[in-house]
Amino acid sequence: MAYQGGYPQQYGAGGGGGGYAQHPAAAYGGGYGGYAPPPQQPPVSPEIQNIFRNIDKDNTGRINNRELQQALINGRGDHFSDTACNLMINMFDRNKSGTVDIYDFERLYNYINQWLQVFKNFDRDASGHIEENELTQALTQMGFRFSPAFIQFLITKNDPINRKEISVDQFIVTCIQIQRFTDTFRVRDTEQKGVITITFEDFLGIALSMCS
Amino acid sequence: MAYQGGYPQQYGAGGGGGGYAQHPAAAYGGGYGGYAPPPQQPPVSPEIQNIFRNIDKDNTGRINNRELQQALINGRGDHFSDTACNLMINMFDRNKSGTVDIYDFERLYNYINQWLQVFKNFDRDASGHIEENELTQALTQMGFRFSPAFIQFLITKNDPINRKEISVDQFIVTCIQIQRFTDTFRVRDTEQKGVITITFEDFLGIALSMCS
């Protein structure tokens, strides 16, 4: 009831307290939507150039989902999921080709690293996974106030075989999706009551827009 | 207002008029959710065995997303999307491994063929794609009553480069997602007004459940 129905007022705005300014939400806000390339591309660092060349196995000058997946390994030794790579590529892919060039990649690379840093901060036992209490802390620090049942749902959704933990790529996807859905909800929750009234067509439109 | 807020009363129940009984929604209703294998598997036809062997390139006895993608081509000559193959495999994958065995595959195969038949029926000019007026007719016959703006949104979502048409795999994904979201909406729309009131956490839960 109080506290904007469980979601943070300023989330994604890049300001505010609680470790906020450094959160990838800031990069997210910039990279997704009205992202415009600078008139003149700044030079890409030699480090990024090297990484890009190593990932761009077919030397097309663009990195696709599969190449990114091959390059990213989570704490279980598995490649990042299709969903995670698709989601992130689509955020930085300026020409909507499903691939990123070296300039897109530089931003994508920085974005992933920011998320990895967030993940490490919350993975307090350095297990390489986020457990229930760590996820609760992470979301609370991001400004959300979810019920224990909802946190449990997030874990179970990501971990059907009951390991009770989520991997770094699942954590990134979960956080990005929560951010997006929160933004979508908030614009309709004009009185900030945490409750909205929605028509069938609007509901379908939101749901279909959010799913790839 | 009338007509259950734009969505069909019996959709997915497998009964009713308007070409309903033969619609894949019936198979969908059976395959998704409470799908239980028969105590003794019935024999798989030689035709399906042959098709299965051809698709199962690595001879693991299970077909994964990539193998299914390789086997399915849409009217543009492109492989079915990741999303389409994931969605369909997940509907028939009894052990939640992200792959289907030959028994799962037989049902999946029949299900895809039912959808292909539906698609052909609505692709009246046999272009291999569904255009706006054909999509309107298809959804109307399925019992939905969407605004022209919503149909336009469905086309644009699937066709960002403005070909104003959707492919067969996009059609299947769109219909399955609309079915799922409609079911989700309907259980909350107890008075069948086409409008629901929903809390932030419920909204998030629905949205996250529906997105892979």
Side-chain angles (χ1 to χ4, degrees):
Chain A
M1 306 310 155
Y3 195 41
Q4 296 97 34
Y7 60 86
Q9 176 68 358
Q10 296 168 316
Y11 197 69
Y20 223 50
Q22 308 237 322
H23 195 271
Y28 166 81
Y32 185 70
Y35 167 85
Q40 226 182 344
Q41 299 285 7
V44 173
S45 73
E47 183 202 355
I48 299 279
Q49 288 184 36
N50 254 333
I51 296 168
F52 186 88
R53 270 195 296 271
N54 280 328
I55 299 179
D56 179 25
K57 295 286 184 207
D58 56 4
N59 291 313
T60 55
R62 303 194 68 89
I63 289 174
N64 63 25
N65 186 311
R66 302 239 163 111
E67 288 169 332
L68 188 62
Q69 267 193 285
Q70 286 305 310
L72 296 173
I73 309 283
N74 68 24
R76 288 188 188 125
D78 297 329
H79 293 287
F80 271 37
S81 69
D82 255 0
T83 304
C85 293
N86 260 333
L87 196 62
M88 293 190 294
I89 283 181
N90 289 340
M91 287 170 67
F92 292 94
D93 162 25
R94 280 169 301 164
N95 69 355
K96 301 300 163 205
S97 62
T99 60
V100 287
D101 67 13
I102 195 163
Y103 302 103
D104 299 333
F105 176 74
E106 187 172 36
R107 287 167 177 264
L108 171 58
Y109 179 80
N110 292 333
Y111 183 70
I112 293 173
N113 275 322
Q114 287 176 308
W115 272 117
L116 293 179
Q117 198 49 54
V118 171
F119 183 83
K120 275 188 196 157
N121 288 344
F122 290 117
D123 178 21
R124 297 195 201 279
D125 61 358
S127 66
H129 315 114
I130 291 268
E131 286 101 35
E132 187 174 337
N133 64 331
E134 291 167 340
L135 183 61
T136 305
Q137 286 192 321
L139 292 168
T140 303
Q141 282 204 29
M142 289 178 198
F144 292 100
R145 194 188 54 178
F146 292 129
S147 68
F150 188 78
I151 300 284
Q152 197 59 53
F153 154 78
L154 290 177
I155 299 272
T156 308
K157 167 178 160 38
N158 282 292
D159 177 31
I161 63 170
N162 207 26
R163 276 182 289 208
K164 296 190 177 161
E165 61 189 26
I166 66 177
S167 60
V168 62
D169 51 327
Q170 291 172 331
F171 176 75
I172 294 174
V173 169
T174 298
C175 291
I176 293 175
Q177 288 180 337
I178 288 177
Q179 286 175 3
R180 290 189 180 183
F181 294 135
T182 301
D183 291 342
T184 305
F185 187 89
R186 187 167 34 206
V187 296
R188 287 162 178 80
D189 183 19
T190 46
E191 294 180 23
Q192 294 184 5
K193 288 186 172 170
V195 176
I196 57 171
T197 296
I198 189 166
T199 67
F200 176 54
E201 220 172 79
D202 192 18
F203 176 84
L204 264 190
I206 293 169
L208 291 170
S209 298
M210 295 292 174
C211 291
S212 57
Chain B
M1 299 307 166
Y3 196 42
Q4 295 97 35
Y7 59 87
Q9 175 68 1
Q10 295 168 316
Y11 196 70
Y20 221 53
Q22 307 237 325
H23 195 271
Y28 165 80
Y32 185 69
Y35 168 83
Q40 225 181 345
Q41 299 284 8
V44 172
S45 74
E47 183 203 355
I48 299 280
Q49 288 183 36
N50 254 334
I51 296 168
F52 186 87
R53 269 196 297 271
N54 279 329
I55 299 179
D56 180 24
K57 296 286 184 209
D58 57 4
N59 292 313
T60 55
R62 302 195 68 90
I63 289 174
N64 62 25
N65 186 314
R66 303 236 164 114
E67 288 168 332
L68 188 63
Q69 267 193 285
Q70 286 305 309
L72 296 173
I73 309 284
N74 68 24
R76 287 189 190 124
D78 296 329
H79 292 287
F80 272 35
S81 69
D82 253 3
T83 303
C85 293
N86 261 333
L87 196 61
M88 293 191 293
I89 284 181
N90 288 340
M91 286 170 69
F92 293 94
D93 162 26
R94 280 169 301 165
N95 69 356
K96 301 298 161 207
S97 62
T99 60
V100 288
D101 67 13
I102 195 163
Y103 302 104
D104 300 333
F105 176 74
E106 188 172 35
R107 288 167 177 265
L108 171 58
Y109 179 79
N110 292 333
Y111 182 70
I112 293 174
N113 275 321
Q114 286 176 308
W115 272 118
L116 292 179
Q117 198 50 53
V118 171
F119 184 82
K120 275 187 196 157
N121 288 344
F122 290 116
D123 178 22
R124 297 197 200 276
D125 61 357
S127 66
H129 313 116
I130 291 266
E131 287 99 36
E132 188 174 337
N133 63 329
E134 292 167 340
L135 183 61
T136 305
Q137 286 192 320
L139 292 168
T140 303
Q141 281 203 29
M142 288 177 197
F144 292 101
R145 195 188 55 178
F146 292 129
S147 67
F150 189 76
I151 300 284
Q152 197 58 54
F153 155 77
L154 291 177
I155 300 270
T156 308
K157 167 179 159 37
N158 281 292
D159 177 29
I161 63 168
N162 207 28
R163 276 181 289 208
K164 296 192 176 160
E165 60 189 27
I166 66 177
S167 60
V168 62
D169 51 327
Q170 291 173 331
F171 177 74
I172 295 174
V173 169
T174 299
C175 291
I176 294 175
Q177 288 180 338
I178 288 178
Q179 286 174 4
R180 290 190 178 180
F181 294 135
T182 300
D183 291 343
T184 306
F185 187 89
R186 189 167 33 208
V187 297
R188 288 163 178 80
D189 183 18
T190 47
E191 295 179 23
Q192 295 183 5
K193 289 187 173 170
V195 176
I196 58 171
T197 296
I198 190 166
T199 66
F200 176 56
E201 218 172 79
D202 192 18
F203 176 85
L204 264 190
I206 294 168
L208 291 169
S209 297
M210 295 291 174
C211 292
S212 57

